[in-house]
Amino acid sequence: DAKNLYKSYFYIKKNKYPYVTGKIGCSKDMFISTKNKIITNFHSRKISHLLRYKNQGILISSKTLNLDNSKLTCRLSGLEKFSPKRFILDKDLKIKTNLKIFQNHITNTYIFFNKPNNKKEKILKKLGAKLIKSKLDLEKKIDLKFVLQKIKKLGINYLLVEGGRILTLSFLKKKLFNEFYLFKNNKNLGMKGSIN
C-alpha cells in the first residue's frame, strides 16, 4: 500500500521525467471529435478540469489547440488559480496567434518548436509565450523524451497530456503514460464523427 501511495514520487525520482497522465474522450464507435456537439458529458468534463487542477502542467499539440481553441485552464469554482502551465508541441510554428491562450498576455505558455520562423517567433514572444528549440526523433517529430526532460527542469512533476489521436498514439508507442483516462460516450457518432 505504501509503495502504491508513493508510486509517482518514486517514478519521478528514478526517471527524471514528470509523472504523465493521459486523457482522451471518444464516442461508442470510437470517434474522438465531431463538429456538431461535445462528445463527453458534464460529469467527465468536471473530472477533466479536476485533472487540470491536480497537474502542474498540461501538454497539447498545436493542431488540437488550433481546432479546439481551449484556454487550457481549470474552471472549477475556487480552483481557477491552480491552472497548469501550458506546453504546446508545434514543430513548424503553425499555431494561430489569435487563440484564447494568448488573451491577457498570460506568461505561463511554452511552445516547443524545431523549424525557425523569425517573424512568427517575434509575434509569439510579444504575446507572452516562451519558445524552446527542440530536438527531433527518428520519425522527424519533436522528441517527446527531450520535451519531458525540459518540462521536468522547469519544475513540473505532474503533467497532463490532452492530445488528439497522433500525440496520444506517440505517447502510447513510447510507453510514456503513467496513467490514462478514457472518457467513452454511450452513443455512436457515425458519419458525424472523426478520428482527428
Side-chain angles (χ1 to χ4, degrees), residues 30-135:
M30 305 305 289
F31 290 111
I32 63 172
S33 64
T34 175
K35 292 181 180 179
N36 299 324
K37 60 182 179 179
I38 298 172
I39 290 178
T40 53
N41 62 17
F42 176 79
H43 177 67
S44 59
R45 290 195 296 276
K46 284 284 188 181
I47 295 175
S48 295
H49 284 282
L50 183 62
L51 288 173
R52 290 181 181 182
Y53 157 71
K54 291 177 66 176
N55 287 272
Q56 299 162 306
I58 183 170
L59 179 69
I60 191 172
S61 70
S62 60
K63 180 180 178 181
T64 298
L65 187 59
N66 283 340
L67 287 171
D68 295 346
N69 195 15
S70 171
K71 291 182 179 180
L72 302 180
T73 56
C74 173
R75 293 193 290 278
L76 295 177
S77 181
L79 299 178
E80 296 88 350
K81 67 179 180 179
F82 295 103
S83 291
K85 292 184 184 298
R86 288 90 60 96
F87 297 95
I88 301 150
L89 299 184
D90 189 12
K91 176 184 170 184
D92 300 318
L93 289 179
K94 293 183 177 180
I95 190 169
K96 298 176 182 177
T97 55
N98 61 344
L99 299 174
K100 292 176 182 177
I101 62 165
F102 296 125
Q103 293 175 357
N104 304 319
H105 295 270
I106 298 173
T107 58
N108 64 350
T109 300
Y110 298 78
I111 300 174
F112 290 91
F113 75 105
N114 176 262
K115 186 178 179 180
N117 182 331
N118 291 334
K119 184 178 178 181
K120 192 72 169 283
E121 289 176 48
K122 287 179 181 178
I123 294 171
L124 291 169
K125 287 178 181 178
K126 193 173 181 180
L127 290 171
K130 297 177 178 67
L131 303 181
I132 300 175
K133 183 74 180 298
S134 306
K135 297 178 182 178

Side-chain angles (χ1 to χ4, degrees), residues 11 19 28 65 79-80 83 111 116 118 126 129 139 154 173-174 183 187-188:
Y11 176 85
Y19 188 85
K28 186 177 181 181
L65 187 59
L79 299 178
E80 296 88 350
S83 291
I111 300 174
N118 291 334
K126 193 173 181 180
E139 297 176 348
L154 289 167
K173 286 178 181 178
K174 296 180 186 296
F183 298 104
K187 294 181 180 180
N188 292 320

Side-chain angles (χ1 to χ4, degrees), residues 171-185:
F171 266 84
L172 286 170
K173 286 178 181 178
K174 296 180 186 296
K175 299 181 179 180
L176 294 173
F177 283 129
N178 299 99
E179 294 183 16
F180 195 86
Y181 287 76
L182 174 65
F183 298 104
K184 191 172 182 181
N185 200 327

